[in-house]
């Protein structure tokens, strides 16, 4: 009976060892500390051989007073012996696998995106983290001209038609502008892309900050404003007509008349007063004896009976 008890205990310990190993010996290549790793218990059946105490009827003889049985009576007692049988045992084991929305990728549980992230990476189930300059659910849409950065979430600050870098947000200025927002025109004397070109305008003409075209000062004309207005014209863009008389010269800027000798007045329409001659009638005649003085040259025209320069 003692041997039978020891054998039963040994088989029971072996069974529990199998169960314990099934609980602890489950391995996975995934890092068990991965926050995206989920675990659950699952059951399974195994066929085991188990021992049990099998009863049987044991017959033996003992002395008795029955003369008919020759003083030898038959007796019965129940005894037990170790027996074996096959049985099904339900086991439990812990199973670890990536949580829903994740898949096993080496030693980590990586998120899964149904749509592939074209210009970005999958950071959560069906969630793309776009690279700067790209947006949309799967990062396939380039930022428009007014937005930049990841998911095109930043608004451009550029002005005056400048282009916005979709990655950094830096402004690429149009011709004729400068500044971090392209809010400033080129400094006087420069124009074009990056304000790198030098103006060629003359005579205090203004240079267009974008094209470099010269805006002539009043009285000048030509591609670089290097020429005076033509005769008879003056003022801005040489569009005003001169009003001078008697072949007076008109100033190309102001239109002021420069009178020829012998003429005076704002429009040079008046002859010099008697006794004066020359430019602006600034000289006095030197003629004597009633000689007439030429208003232009001052030459004396002698009266009857007189001769000589004066």
């Amino acid at each position: 009976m003692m041997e039978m008890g020891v054998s039963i205990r040994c088989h029971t310990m072996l069974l529990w060892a199998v169960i314990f190993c099934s609980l602890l010996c489950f391995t996975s290549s995934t890092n068990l500390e991965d926050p995206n790793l989920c675990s659950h218990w699952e059951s399974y059946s195994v066929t085991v051989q188990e021992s049990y105490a099998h009863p049987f009827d044991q017959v033996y003889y003992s002395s008795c007073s029955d003369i008919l049985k020759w003083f030898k009576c038959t007796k019965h007692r129940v005894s037990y012996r170790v027996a074996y049988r096959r049985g099904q045992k339900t086991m439990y084991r812990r199973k670890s696998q990536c949580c829903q929305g994740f898949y096993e990728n080496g030693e980590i549980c990586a998120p899964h995106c149904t749509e592939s992230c074209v210009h970005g990476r999958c950071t959560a189930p069906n969630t793309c983290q776009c690279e700067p300059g790209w947006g949309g659910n799967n990062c396939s849409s380039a930022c428009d001209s007014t937005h930049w950065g990841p998911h095109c979430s930043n608004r451009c600050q550029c002005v005056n038609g400048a282009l916005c870098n979709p990655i950094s947000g830096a402004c690429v200025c149009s011709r004729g502008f400068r500044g971090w927002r392209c809010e400033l025109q080129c400094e006087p004397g420069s124009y074009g892309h990056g304000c790198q070109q030098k103006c060629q305008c003359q005579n205090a003409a203004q240079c267009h900050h974008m094209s470099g075209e010269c805006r002539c000062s009043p009285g000048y004309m030509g591609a670089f404003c290097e020429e005076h207005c033509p005769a008879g014209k003056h003022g801005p863009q040489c569009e005003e007509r001169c009003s001078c008389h008697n072949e007076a010269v008109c100033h190309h800027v102001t239109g002021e008349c420069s009178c020829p000798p012998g003429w005076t007045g704002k429009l040079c329409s008046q002859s010099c007063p008697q006794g004066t001659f020359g430019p602006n009638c600034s000289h006095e005649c030197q003629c004597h004896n009633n000689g007439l003085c030429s208003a232009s040259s001052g030459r004396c025209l002698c009266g009857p009976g007189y001769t000589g320069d004066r």
Side-chain angles (χ1 to χ4, degrees), residues 219 229 232-242:
C229 290
K233 300 287 186 177
H234 73 94
Q237 301 180 8
C238 300
E239 292 181 345
E240 298 184 36
R241 186 178 295 276
C242 293

Side-chain angles (χ1 to χ4, degrees), residues 66-84:
D66 191 349
I67 191 171
L68 297 176
K69 296 180 179 181
W70 299 93
F71 306 105
K72 200 174 189 180
C73 296
T74 300
K75 290 188 176 183
H76 297 268
R77 65 181 178 185
V78 177
S79 297
Y80 295 88
R81 62 185 177 189
V82 177
Y84 299 93

Side-chain angles (χ1 to χ4, degrees), residues 174-177 186 190-193 197 207-213:
S174 303
R175 292 172 61 94
F177 293 95
C186 292
S190 62
Y191 74 98
H193 285 298
Q197 294 175 270
C207 174
H208 193 274
H209 61 287
M210 296 174 65
S211 65
E213 180 183 0

Side-chain angles (χ1 to χ4, degrees), residues 283-306:
H283 301 294
E284 293 185 3
C285 292
Q286 302 297 320
C287 303
H288 298 281
N289 297 308
N290 295 322
L292 297 178
C293 174
S294 172
S296 59
S297 64
R299 184 177 179 181
C300 296
L301 180 60
C302 298
Y306 293 93

Side-chain angles (χ1 to χ4, degrees), residues 145-146 156-165 170-184 193 209-210:
S145 59
T146 60
C156 293
Q157 302 297 317
C158 310
V159 296
N160 293 315
L163 298 177
C164 176
N165 188 301
C171 297
V172 181
C173 297
S174 303
R175 292 172 61 94
F177 293 95
R178 60 189 174 91
W180 75 273
R181 295 175 57 238
C182 304
E183 73 279 14
L184 303 174
H193 285 298
H209 61 287
M210 296 174 65

Side-chain angles (χ1 to χ4, degrees), residues 3-17 51 84:
E3 291 178 357
M4 180 185 67
V6 171
S7 177
I8 292 175
R9 286 197 299 271
C10 289
H11 281 82
T12 302
M13 292 175 64
L14 178 62
L15 175 62
W16 281 109
S51 61
Y84 299 93

